[in-house]
Amino acid sequence: MDGSRRWRRKARRTVAPSWWWWCCWPLLLVLLASEISTAFGLDTWWQLGVHGFESWNNPQLYILGTQPICTQLKGLSAGQKRFCQRYHDHMPSIGRGAKFGIRECQWQFRMRRWNCSTVRDSSVFGPVISIASREAAFTHAISSAGVVYAISRSCREGDLASCGCSRARRPKNLHRDYIWGGCGDNIEYGYRFAKVFIDVREKEMNHPRKSDNLARMLMNLHNNEAGRKAVYNYAQVDCKCHGVSGSCAVTTCWQQLPTFRAIGDRLRDRYDGATQTKFNNRGTKLIRSNKRYNKPSKEDLIYFHDSPDYCHRNTKTGSFGTEGRVCNRNSRGTDGCNLMCCGRGYNTFKKKLVERCHCKFYWCCFVKCKTCERIIDVHTCK
């Protein structure tokens, strides 16, 4: 009898692990896939700019009324989830910043072979970001700039508990009679917060020397900083006059963000002049591949691998191809049919365009327009 019990206990110890494995292996695969996608950057915080935070104030998003369920937000690394729990009021601003970056990226590249298209998966920009190319460099920079921009503006508008108006020092070249101290954009706080929140996901893992993962981490950190510098280093001074009957008796000035379009233009220029890099001899830092070019500054973008040509659809590289894209037959630039269509030629068809015309202002106060129609030629790549 005692031997029988011992046998059954031994059998349970032997069978239980096998039963547990067959029961739980699907869950293990899901968790492993999640960790892999986060490690290789396929699952990104940029999703916050796609899904939005319209329901962020929903009571269901809180645990016992104290903390948001940050663990359920896709794309956040472990460190970013901790920041979410501590600064949950910042998350809508981070989402807006990500959306700023996505929209600006699509505007800047709307006339190029790669047009910064988004996809319906956790990577937002598709497999293209897994390639350490110029395109990945730009997406990291513009997204980082978007967070600085959104957080800085939210501080000024009083949306965040831990910051307020800017406390920047008075510029030395400001007219001595002007008053410095209006409620300016808090770019200093936006820069510091964006640096910690965005870079923490890159610093959570240790990579061996000369590894592709280490190269990508260093590249991402550099380009994240370039995006933040594109905002921080170009703050402007805005002033307003005050006085009776429109007189300028008092002038108040404050710190102002540049327009996000100006930031996008600056980073697109950095994209065009990006520097290709390689490992140093120790395999711990990235240096320029060609010493004939200038050493990249903290405001410049860097990349590791050459970009695909984006001429043909390729699911592996994330290229949508240029077939069917509208091009400009008379342009020699990136929007021209010769470059956009990769030498394949183009199709032309007629399109009726309906628009307002012959507008006239009537006192007071409305504008009345007529509706005009015209036929235009539209060219699309073969």
Side-chain angles (χ1 to χ4, degrees):
M1 197 68 179
D2 293 339
S4 177
R5 286 198 195 97
R6 283 197 300 270
W7 182 86
R8 285 197 295 269
R9 285 198 298 268
K10 182 177 180 181
R12 282 197 296 268
R13 287 196 300 268
T14 304
V15 175
S18 177
W19 171 87
W20 180 88
W21 169 254
W22 285 107
C23 176
C24 300
W25 73 267
L27 177 60
L28 292 175
L29 289 180
V30 171
L31 293 175
L32 181 61
S34 176
E35 292 297 324
I36 293 175
S37 63
T38 301
F40 286 90
L42 300 180
D43 200 20
T44 70
W45 63 271
W46 297 328
Q47 294 178 75
L48 304 181
V50 176
H51 301 298
F53 281 84
E54 291 78 5
S55 59
W56 183 255
N57 294 322
N58 190 326
Q60 295 179 354
L61 290 178
Y62 292 82
I63 300 177
L64 301 178
T66 58
Q67 289 185 340
I69 309 178
C70 296
T71 55
Q72 294 186 6
L73 291 177
K74 295 181 179 180
L76 299 185
S77 69
Q80 288 175 331
K81 290 176 183 177
R82 290 193 294 269
F83 264 85
C84 172
Q85 292 177 350
R86 185 176 180 182
Y87 300 98
H88 60 268
D89 60 336
H90 289 52
M91 300 309 293
S93 299
I94 294 173
R96 285 194 297 271
K99 185 176 291 185
F100 289 159
I102 293 171
R103 289 179 175 176
E104 188 62 25
C105 181
Q106 292 174 347
W107 167 266
Q108 294 293 342
F109 291 88
R110 68 196 186 282
M111 295 297 183
R112 302 199 180 199
R113 291 178 183 173
W114 178 72
N115 61 354
C116 201
S117 298
T118 57
V119 296
R120 295 181 179 180
D121 63 21
S122 60
S123 65
V124 179
F125 293 109
V128 65
I129 64 170
S130 63
I131 305 173
S133 63
R134 293 172 184 257
E135 290 72 37
F138 184 88
T139 54
H140 278 267
I142 197 67
S143 301
S144 183
V147 174
V148 178
Y149 197 91
I151 294 291
S152 302
R153 182 58 53 84
S154 294
C155 288
R156 190 195 74 177
E157 295 177 353
D159 295 334
L160 307 179
S162 56
C163 65
C165 299
S166 173
R167 296 182 179 179
R169 294 183 178 181
R170 180 189 180 94
K172 295 181 179 180
N173 59 349
L174 188 67
H175 195 284
R176 63 180 183 179
D177 295 333
Y178 291 175
I179 298 175
W180 178 255
C183 190
D185 296 312
N186 198 336
I187 304 176
E188 296 79 15
Y189 181 90
Y191 171 86
R192 293 195 304 270
F193 183 87
K195 181 178 180 65
V196 179
F197 176 82
I198 296 174
D199 288 357
V200 67
R201 71 178 295 118
E202 304 293 342
K203 299 178 180 179
E204 288 176 342
M205 299 183 65
N206 294 322
H207 305 293
R209 291 190 301 174
K210 293 188 177 181
S211 65
D212 289 342
N213 289 335
L214 177 61
R216 187 57 192 270
M217 183 195 76
L218 296 174
M219 171 185 157
N220 290 347
L221 288 174
H222 180 99
N223 293 321
N224 290 344
E225 179 68 5
R228 293 188 291 266
K229 292 291 187 183
V231 183
Y232 185 83
N233 288 349
Y234 296 90
Q236 303 169 349
V237 175
D238 198 9
C239 300
K240 185 176 181 180
C241 287
H242 309 273
V244 181
S245 301
S247 63
C248 195
V250 179
T251 302
T252 304
C253 302
W254 58 88
Q255 183 173 242
Q256 180 79 20
L257 285 164
T259 64
F260 204 70
R261 179 54 39 81
I263 296 169
D265 291 341
R266 186 172 296 112
L267 289 176
R268 188 207 57 224
D269 292 339
R270 299 283 193 264
Y271 165 90
D272 291 331
T275 302
Q276 189 169 22
T277 58
K278 64 179 182 180
F279 272 121
N280 61 1
N281 292 333
R282 297 183 60 188
T284 56
K285 294 176 60 177
L286 295 181
I287 59 175
R288 52 188 168 170
S289 297
N290 193 331
K291 293 186 177 180
R292 291 183 299 175
Y293 299 113
N294 294 329
K295 183 179 179 180
S297 69
K298 290 184 178 181
E299 294 189 28
D300 294 323
L301 301 186
I302 64 172
Y303 65 100
F304 209 69
H305 297 138
D306 292 330
S307 303
D309 60 14
Y310 300 108
C311 288
H312 304 281
R313 187 175 185 85
N314 188 327
T315 56
K316 184 177 180 180
T317 62
S319 172
F320 288 90
T322 60
E323 182 180 353
R325 290 277 301 277
V326 175
C327 61
N328 185 349
R329 184 180 62 179
N330 300 319
S331 174
R332 294 185 178 181
T334 56
D335 64 330
C337 291
N338 186 35
L339 289 177
M340 180 70 74
C341 303
C342 307
R344 300 189 305 267
Y346 56 90
N347 298 316
T348 303
F349 64 92
K350 302 290 184 180
K351 180 180 179 180
K352 182 171 69 173
L353 185 65
V354 180
E355 56 189 1
R356 300 171 67 188
C357 62
H358 304 302
C359 296
K360 186 176 181 180
F361 175 77
Y362 290 88
W363 184 267
C364 175
C365 299
F366 66 94
V367 177
K368 187 175 182 180
C369 301
K370 295 182 179 179
T371 301
C372 298
E373 296 181 357
R374 60 190 179 98
I375 305 299
I376 61 173
D377 289 332
V378 178
H379 313 287
T380 59
C381 293
K382 292 183 177 180

